[in-house]
Amino acid sequence: MGAQAQRTEEWADVTPDAARRLLTAAVQAFAERGYHATTTRDIAGRAGMSPAALYIHYKTKEELLYRISGVGHRLALDIVTRARDGAGTPAERLAEAVRRFVRWHAEHHTTARVVQYELGALGEEHHAEIIALRRATDAAVRAIIEDGVAAGDFDVPDVRGTTLAVLSLCIDVARWFNAEGRRTPDEVGELYAGLVLRMVGGTDGQP
């Protein structure tokens, strides 16, 4: 799937078309210039619209970031929650969580960079809401690791610290992934699933 097609699919639920175009433009601008260096004029120009047209759909630049961040964090929570509640051993569920989490960060690396690294630009109320989603994501992954420890499948002296390491490893994919590089998102997902299983001492890395 091409980059433009991925961006269209990513925000398919956003209507009308003008609002979707503005979100897509904001993602690109924030990823390239950073939130603070991006102006509403930059975003509107990328969307082929006037600055005044932007305010019809979004009251502020921060509202655009909040919408982008909310979509990304809810998707992340859904990915790990499905794995936590799925069938299989703790090792299988942890591998599935990592595989899908990493794949999303690779496939949508531009959006993921904005979602993960521009969090500090959110207003107080929006920031608190997103932090709650991040904590829920952390708790879901931690629950899988705790299941593995309880079953004697994982050797993890520090569950909280290991959970943080696992999530940090996955999230960092958005920073370095290159769609023209040697590995596909699926291949990176498989690699990281094996790395994480070795990290928790669960298996030889084969989910």
Side-chain angles (χ1 to χ4, degrees):
M1 182 182 293
Q4 183 60 46
Q6 277 193 349
R7 288 195 293 269
T8 300
E9 178 192 49
E10 195 172 14
W11 306 109
D13 293 339
V14 178
T15 57
D17 177 69
R20 183 166 55 250
R21 283 162 49 203
L22 286 164
L23 270 183
T24 301
V27 166
Q28 296 299 309
F30 293 157
E32 289 176 19
R33 299 170 59 89
Y35 174 82
H36 292 293
T38 298
T39 66
T40 53
R41 184 175 294 277
D42 293 332
I43 296 167
R46 286 169 183 261
M49 300 165 66
S50 70
L54 184 149
Y55 296 109
I56 295 173
H57 303 283
Y58 302 100
K59 294 178 183 178
T60 63
K61 183 176 69 166
E62 191 268 352
E63 186 179 339
L64 272 164
L65 179 62
Y66 167 65
R67 181 68 183 270
I68 294 163
S69 191
V71 167
H73 279 90
R74 286 183 181 86
L75 180 57
L77 178 57
D78 181 66
I79 286 171
V80 298
T81 300
R82 284 174 181 269
R84 180 198 65 195
D85 298 339
T89 66
E92 289 169 339
R93 288 186 283 128
L94 183 59
E96 178 65 7
V98 170
R99 191 180 296 116
R100 293 188 62 220
F101 198 51
V102 165
R103 188 168 62 219
W104 186 83
H105 279 79
E107 287 178 343
H108 304 283
H109 53 95
T110 303
T111 298
R113 282 201 304 275
V114 175
V115 167
Q116 299 293 354
Y117 298 118
E118 295 288 353
L119 185 64
L122 290 171
E124 185 176 349
E125 185 177 340
H126 288 163
H127 184 270
E129 182 181 328
I130 299 303
I131 287 296
L133 291 171
R134 289 173 77 94
R135 286 175 176 158
T137 299
D138 179 278
V141 174
R142 188 168 68 247
I144 301 173
I145 296 175
E146 287 172 342
D147 285 348
V149 172
D153 296 340
F154 296 164
D155 180 13
V156 180
D158 182 349
V159 172
R160 286 185 177 274
T162 301
T163 300
L164 176 61
V166 169
L167 288 171
S168 297
L169 186 70
C170 296
I171 288 168
D172 195 55
V173 170
R175 183 185 57 78
W176 63 259
F177 185 80
N178 182 351
E180 313 232 334
R182 215 163 43 85
R183 298 181 189 272
T184 67
D186 283 336
E187 289 169 342
V188 178
E190 289 294 339
L191 172 65
Y192 275 49
L195 290 172
V196 166
L197 288 181
R198 287 193 289 275
M199 182 189 297
V200 298
T203 70
D204 63 359
Q206 295 299 318

